Amino acid sequence: MAKAPECGWTLEEAARRRGALRIAGLDEVGRGPLFGPVVAAAVILPIGCRLQGLTDSKKLSAKKRTELDAAIRLNAVAFAIAEVDAETIDRINIRQASLLAMRRAVEQLAPSPDFLLIDGRDTINWDCSQQAVVRGDATSFSIAAASVLAKVYRDRLLVE
């Protein structure tokens, strides 16, 4: 049986060796449910940022996600959250809506990233180097941070 991936800095360190300075992790939530918006987050963490227990938001309790959400917002170089509503999802499909939400999140980042680590199989229409990473939210701290922000934000939307 294959060992489960471990969340860490390996992907970010590889991007830095190729010259990247501002690496943004991207993830989305809401692709599975048949209602509500799809929400994406983009996060640039400082080099070596330590956030105890950070991993894929689906593996965390609601309490731990809330704690990490606050810590990520406090420590991030930059972060942004964007959503695409159900009407747009119906019009353009969930895959395209997810990519649109991720692009909208990246557009809001200041400073702008020069490298994107994106959870999943797709990259987005953005002018910088990118790497799509299947299960990236379980292997990259930057993507995991985006996963947490997006999940907490969407959960709060659905409660309201």
Side-chain angles (χ1 to χ4, degrees), residues 89-101:
I89 294 169
D90 289 344
R91 188 169 35 83
I92 66 174
N93 78 44
I94 188 61
R95 180 172 169 260
Q96 293 304 315
S98 296
L99 297 173
L100 176 60

Side-chain angles (χ1 to χ4, degrees), residues 77 102 153:
V77 171
M102 285 191 269
Y153 182 91

Side-chain angles (χ1 to χ4, degrees), residues 9 12 16 21-25 42-51 54 71-73 75-79 140-146:
W9 291 111
E12 289 86 347
R16 287 190 204 295
L21 300 174
R22 295 172 311 281
I23 301 161
V43 178
I44 301 173
L45 292 173
I47 295 171
C49 180
R50 302 255 185 246
L51 298 168
L54 180 61
I72 292 162
R73 290 168 183 265
N75 288 284
V77 171
F79 70 89
S140 159
F141 281 142
S142 298
I143 298 173

Side-chain angles (χ1 to χ4, degrees), residues 44-117:
I44 301 173
L45 292 173
I47 295 171
C49 180
R50 302 255 185 246
L51 298 168
Q52 187 66 33
L54 180 61
T55 191
D56 175 4
S57 66
K58 296 180 292 297
K59 296 179 179 180
L60 301 170
S61 68
K63 180 180 182 207
K64 185 64 175 177
R65 281 193 302 266
T66 300
E67 291 170 2
L68 283 167
D69 179 83
I72 292 162
R73 290 168 183 265
L74 183 66
N75 288 284
V77 171
F79 70 89
I81 300 169
E83 64 182 273
V84 172
D85 61 37
E87 181 180 294
T88 304
I89 294 169
D90 289 344
R91 188 169 35 83
I92 66 174
N93 78 44
I94 188 61
R95 180 172 169 260
Q96 293 304 315
S98 296
L99 297 173
L100 176 60
M102 285 191 269
R103 180 180 167 88
R104 287 178 177 173
V106 172
E107 287 173 346
Q108 296 176 59
L109 287 176
S112 185
D114 60 3
F115 193 92
L116 304 177
L117 287 170

Side-chain angles (χ1 to χ4, degrees), residues 21-38:
L21 300 174
R22 295 172 311 281
I23 301 161
L26 278 81
D27 198 8
E28 54 72 31
V29 297
R31 247 180 118 146
L34 298 175
F35 65 94
V38 64

